């Protein structure tokens, strides 16, 4: 059965369209040359901007250094990063919104053992794009088509994580926008009293 949801004018159609069109670069689309930390941060920041719901950056140099120290991400070679680092940084930056760092490390390890690092990254990209487009379509249509989801056991954790991420993101945006509108309404009432 489809679950009916009410249309919410708080979420802009422009943002819903950007969710529908969201794309993470596949392994082959990642740079084949070495880059420095600031370039890594720029690349990752551009792709995760759609998920940013608060002030500040979702990825910083200190975060990357901490991921390396915690052995979640491989060490750079002579302060240079490559596509492996970009893939790790993208996955970690996005997944940390719904998982702990140790859960991310374990999840990457398990999925990499099953599919190889490149395959695990592709599964992550596919599932995240599917989750974003499915939820965007649901926001447009007003229904959540959960019956249509077929979940293979080897992708269950990734699918549930990506849907959780998108659900959390949309909820945060809706609450923030509602609070902003409420404050403006209260300010408008106060202004009209004066």
């Amino acid at each position: 059965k489809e679950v009916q949801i009410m249309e919410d004018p708080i979420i802009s159609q422009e943002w819903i369209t950007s969710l529908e069109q969201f794309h993470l670069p596949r392994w082959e689309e990642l740079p084949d040359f070495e880059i420095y930390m600031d370039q890594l941060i720029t690349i990752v920041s551009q792709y995760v901007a759609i998920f940013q719901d608060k002030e500040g950056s979702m990825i910083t140099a200190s975060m990357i250094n901490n991921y390396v120290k915690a052995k979640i991400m491989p060490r750079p070679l002579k302060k240079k990063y490559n596509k492996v680092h970009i893939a790790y940084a993208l996955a970690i930056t996005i997944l940390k919104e719904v998982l702990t760092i140790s859960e991310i490390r374990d999840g990457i390890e398990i999925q990499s053992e099953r599919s190889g690092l490149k395959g695990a990254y592709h599964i992550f990209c596919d599932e995240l794009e599917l989750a974003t487009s499915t939820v965007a379509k649901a926001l447009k249509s007003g229904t959540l088509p959960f019956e249509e989801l077929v979940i293979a056991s080897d992708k269950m954790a990734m699918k549930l994580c990506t849907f959780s991420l998108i659900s959390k993101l949309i909820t945060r945006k809706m609450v923030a926008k509602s609070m902003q509108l409420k404050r403006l309404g209260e300010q408008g009432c106060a202004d009209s009293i004066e």
Side-chain angles (χ1 to χ4, degrees), residues 128-144:
L128 185 57
E129 287 174 8
L130 176 63
T132 56
S133 68
T134 300
V135 171
K137 287 175 188 166
L139 288 169
K140 276 188 170 179
S141 71
T143 60
L144 295 174

Side-chain angles (χ1 to χ4, degrees), residues 70-72 92 100-110:
K71 298 182 180 179
I72 299 168
I92 294 165
T100 66
I101 295 299
S102 61
E103 290 168 335
I104 294 168
R105 182 185 55 237
D106 295 347
I108 290 172
E109 182 181 321
I110 290 166

Side-chain angles (χ1 to χ4, degrees), residues 20-67:
E20 280 183 309
Q21 298 171 352
F22 175 71
H23 172 75
L24 272 181
R26 297 309 190 266
W27 193 265
E28 299 77 20
E29 297 172 70
L30 296 172
D32 273 329
F33 49 88
E34 294 181 327
I35 59 175
Y36 290 101
M37 171 122 33
D38 61 327
Q39 294 167 307
L40 174 66
I41 292 168
T42 299
I43 290 168
V44 172
S45 294
Q46 288 172 348
Y47 283 105
V48 303
I50 193 171
F51 300 112
Q52 187 146 356
D53 64 341
K54 53 189 174 234
E55 295 295 318
S57 181
M58 288 181 70
I59 186 165
T60 63
S62 62
M63 289 176 193
I64 292 170
N65 289 331
N66 288 336
Y67 303 153

Side-chain angles (χ1 to χ4, degrees), residues 23-30 83 87 91 111-112 115-130 155 158 162:
H23 172 75
L24 272 181
R26 297 309 190 266
W27 193 265
E28 299 77 20
E29 297 172 70
L30 296 172
K83 67 172 47 185
Q111 197 64 52
S112 294
S115 311
L117 184 59
K118 181 178 169 183
Y121 177 71
H122 277 270
I123 290 168
F124 169 70
C125 292
D126 291 343
E127 293 299 330
L128 185 57
E129 287 174 8
L130 176 63
K155 296 180 183 177
M158 186 68 71
T162 56

Side-chain angles (χ1 to χ4, degrees), residues 1 69 112:
K1 291 182 179 176
K69 285 178 191 173
S112 294

